[in-house]
Amino acid sequence: MLDRKHAFADLRLHLQDKSVCAYKDGEVIIDTAAGVLGRYDPRPVQPGSLFPVFSVTKGITAGMLHWLVDNGKLNLEENVSNIWPNFGSNGKDIIKVYHVLNHTSGLHNATVDARENPLLICDWEECLNCMAKSTPETEPGQEQLYHYLSYGWLCGGIVEHATGKKFQEILEEALVYPLHVEGELYIGIPPGVESRLATLTPNLDDLQKFTGINRPELPSTFQPAMIAQLATTLTPLFNMLNTRRAIIPAANGHCSARALARYYAALADGGVIPPPHSSSSQPPLGSHPHIPKFSVENPKKQKAAKSKDSRTNVNNNHEKNSSSPETAENNSIFSNTGYTSLPTNDPSTRVGQKFVGKMYKDPRIHDAFLGIGKYENLTIPNGKFGLGFSRLRSKEGSFIGFGHSGMGGSTGFCNIEHRFAMSVTLNKMSIGDVTASIIQLVCSELNIPLPAEFSALGISGQHGRVEAPLIN
């Protein structure tokens, strides 16, 4: 842990309904949490609490595609339509995998028409079909515009068509099990983890500071001035269980800070699996069952119990609905979660399971993440994004790391040279200045260069101005 008592005390002053974790040289140095799970949920935040992290999810999804490339299942320069035949219509036949990762496919506004039914974003197959039918708004490869929702479905369609497996199967195979973060990293939660969920609350006064800010790298439909309005709409939508259970690989990750930091700690080391997480963090990371199992009771006894305790059941309706196997079988919500069956060889049930080695074999995997070196021609010069990750720069302008932030302030990132990785997860959505101040404090105490992206945000936020809000 960070061996500076005054710094740690200062850090906890910054924490309110947040969790923070950091690794240095492969070892955990910070793992702390404070606050409560939600405005109407007074239970304390725990190390294993699951936070909705919005676009932080994109960095996780990017790691999956790079894993497929590293294992020979995917080629960055291949046409997406060669992998996903239905995708080639309406001028999309020239879109390549790297265009999607680099936010240059021209499909930045492609999404389902959810005006009458917002829950359409929870329909995995419908969202993939919409991507297949969409039309680019700009010539692929020419302009980098943030694909705020379409990124996830485009990547998800590529993953499933390249492997013949479900998206979440690849998530587990590539990241969850090797990192031993079972039960603490999901894109679409399974039934049974509801008690560990943090709920979102918008800080509307803070979000109003977006007004008047223009970000040219963002599409017109996702400019900062719209964020306060979006947050008001998205907060109740993304607090709903059926949304949380949906596969939305651009925006629906649920993870603990310690799982997210461990992911970036591995990426900082080129994919080397870090040693086991700190034993002082309880319950231990990876100890939660990744896909909770339920005992099957006698239906006649269940019926009798319902008749006898109907009032109790009404009062506890939410809790029972979230964990009942009968509900899971009969409610259409679960058909889109990707957790339709429970594997008998689930590594989370194996006592003492250890993972060693590397997640990636390519010794130049950092170049792939950043889109530099031999990958330079696959990215936009000096663009914000490499191949799936946000590039992080020093104050002098050189690339020092990569990561991805989410609307509201959650983030995960790493500094390559210093073998440093950090995550902040929160449930009170803001412009991100508190997140930046936490990162500034930790980097200062460790004498690690602060990424310019967090430096500009924190300084301007202290003066009531926000020039670079943390929204992607």
Side-chain angles (χ1 to χ4, degrees):
M1 296 295 176
L2 191 61
D3 189 24
R4 300 180 181 186
K5 291 184 179 180
H6 71 279
F8 192 77
D10 287 344
L11 175 60
R12 288 194 64 86
L13 289 176
H14 286 288
L15 292 180
Q16 182 180 3
D17 308 337
K18 295 180 182 67
S19 189
V20 176
C21 185
Y23 278 71
K24 179 72 171 71
D25 299 324
E27 300 286 344
V28 178
I29 58 170
I30 300 172
D31 189 2
T32 188
V36 297
L37 289 176
R39 175 182 290 178
Y40 305 109
D41 187 347
R43 293 174 300 154
V45 175
Q46 303 289 345
S49 296
L50 298 172
F51 284 80
V53 293
F54 284 103
S55 286
V56 173
T57 315
K58 292 183 176 70
I60 298 169
T61 301
M64 295 168 60
L65 265 73
H66 282 286
W67 183 84
L68 292 177
V69 171
D70 194 65
N71 282 277
K73 304 289 186 182
L74 193 62
N75 188 321
L76 289 172
E77 299 188 61
E78 189 170 2
N79 289 338
V80 175
S81 58
N82 292 344
I83 306 162
W84 182 357
N86 292 341
F87 184 80
S89 63
N90 300 326
K92 299 194 301 299
D93 54 311
I94 63 171
I95 294 177
K96 300 182 183 297
V97 173
Y98 72 82
H99 289 145
V100 173
L101 283 169
N102 192 230
H103 296 267
T104 57
S105 77
L107 298 173
H108 40 279
N109 286 323
T111 186
V112 294
D113 187 354
R115 287 171 292 185
E116 294 185 3
N117 180 10
L119 293 181
L120 277 178
I121 65 170
C122 303
D123 189 328
W124 177 243
E125 294 299 332
E126 178 62 22
C127 292
L128 295 187
N129 288 336
C130 286
M131 296 302 104
K133 296 175 183 177
S134 61
T135 302
E137 295 183 20
T138 58
E139 184 179 350
Q142 297 303 306
E143 192 171 357
Q144 189 174 76
L145 289 167
Y146 185 52
H147 290 37
Y148 54 99
L149 272 179
S150 57
Y151 174 93
W153 296 315
L154 293 170
C155 288
I158 292 170
V159 166
E160 293 202 340
H161 285 86
T163 63
K165 296 182 179 180
K166 292 181 178 180
F167 178 85
Q168 287 165 319
E169 288 182 276
I170 299 301
L171 173 63
E172 294 162 356
E173 184 179 352
L175 306 181
V176 173
Y177 295 149
L179 289 171
H180 200 33
V181 292
E182 296 92 331
E184 295 191 29
L185 194 156
Y186 299 101
I187 300 178
I189 63 166
V193 303
E194 293 82 1
S195 64
R196 291 189 288 122
L197 293 179
T199 54
L200 294 165
T201 303
N203 184 339
L204 295 179
D205 291 339
D206 201 33
L207 293 170
Q208 289 296 337
K209 296 177 184 178
F210 283 138
T211 304
I213 299 171
N214 181 58
R215 293 278 294 276
E217 78 277 16
L218 300 177
S220 59
T221 54
F222 197 68
Q223 282 296 315
M226 303 174 62
I227 297 300
Q229 179 181 349
L230 277 173
T232 303
T233 303
L234 292 177
T235 298
L237 179 62
F238 276 79
N239 279 335
M240 295 173 63
L241 276 180
N242 44 352
T243 307
R244 290 175 180 262
R245 289 174 177 148
I247 307 170
I248 309 175
N252 200 34
H254 285 76
C255 58
S256 64
R258 60 184 184 175
L260 183 60
R262 184 170 177 81
Y263 170 62
Y264 276 104
L267 298 192
D269 272 351
V272 175
I273 307 297
H277 195 79
S278 171
S279 60
S280 64
S281 186
Q282 297 294 330
L285 179 62
S287 62
H288 294 287
H290 190 61
I291 305 174
K293 300 181 181 181
F294 305 96
S295 60
V296 178
E297 301 179 16
N298 186 311
K300 291 183 178 179
K301 290 183 179 180
Q302 285 184 335
K303 186 174 182 180
K306 286 182 180 180
S307 177
K308 181 178 180 181
D309 300 319
S310 58
R311 292 185 180 179
T312 302
N313 286 344
V314 169
N315 292 333
N316 296 287
N317 185 55
H318 174 79
E319 185 70 24
K320 291 185 179 294
N321 281 349
S322 67
S323 59
S324 167
E326 287 190 336
T327 303
E329 291 176 4
N330 296 322
N331 195 324
S332 61
I333 289 171
F334 297 95
S335 64
N336 292 320
T337 65
Y339 298 110
T340 55
S341 61
L342 300 178
T344 56
N345 63 340
D346 181 355
S348 66
T349 64
R350 300 176 190 170
V351 178
Q353 178 72 59
K354 302 293 182 184
F355 293 94
V356 295
K358 295 182 67 176
M359 296 160 58
Y360 303 97
K361 300 182 288 291
D362 184 357
R364 307 297 296 177
I365 193 67
H366 288 152
D367 289 357
F369 295 158
L370 287 166
I372 59 176
K374 72 175 185 178
Y375 302 95
E376 186 175 6
N377 292 334
L378 307 185
T379 59
I380 297 293
N382 297 315
K384 176 178 175 61
F385 297 100
L387 293 175
F389 295 93
S390 294
R391 295 158 156 174
L392 301 181
R393 306 170 193 263
S394 67
K395 62 180 181 180
E396 292 79 20
S398 60
F399 296 132
I400 60 174
F402 54 89
H404 216 294
S405 299
M407 183 174 66
S410 291
T411 194
F413 72 96
C414 65
N415 180 307
I416 299 169
E417 180 182 354
H418 289 263
R419 297 181 64 205
F420 173 70
M422 184 172 177
S423 67
V424 178
T425 58
L426 51 83
N427 58 357
K428 191 170 185 179
M429 300 172 64
S430 68
I431 59 176
D433 55 336
V434 174
T435 298
S437 65
I438 292 172
I439 295 169
Q440 288 176 16
L441 170 64
V442 174
C443 287
S444 174
E445 291 295 329
L446 296 173
N447 198 27
I448 292 173
L450 179 70
E453 290 75 8
F454 298 113
S455 176
L457 175 66
I459 293 172
S460 60
Q462 291 172 7
H463 292 84
R465 295 169 53 250
V466 183
E467 298 173 355
L470 194 66
I471 58 178
N472 65 280

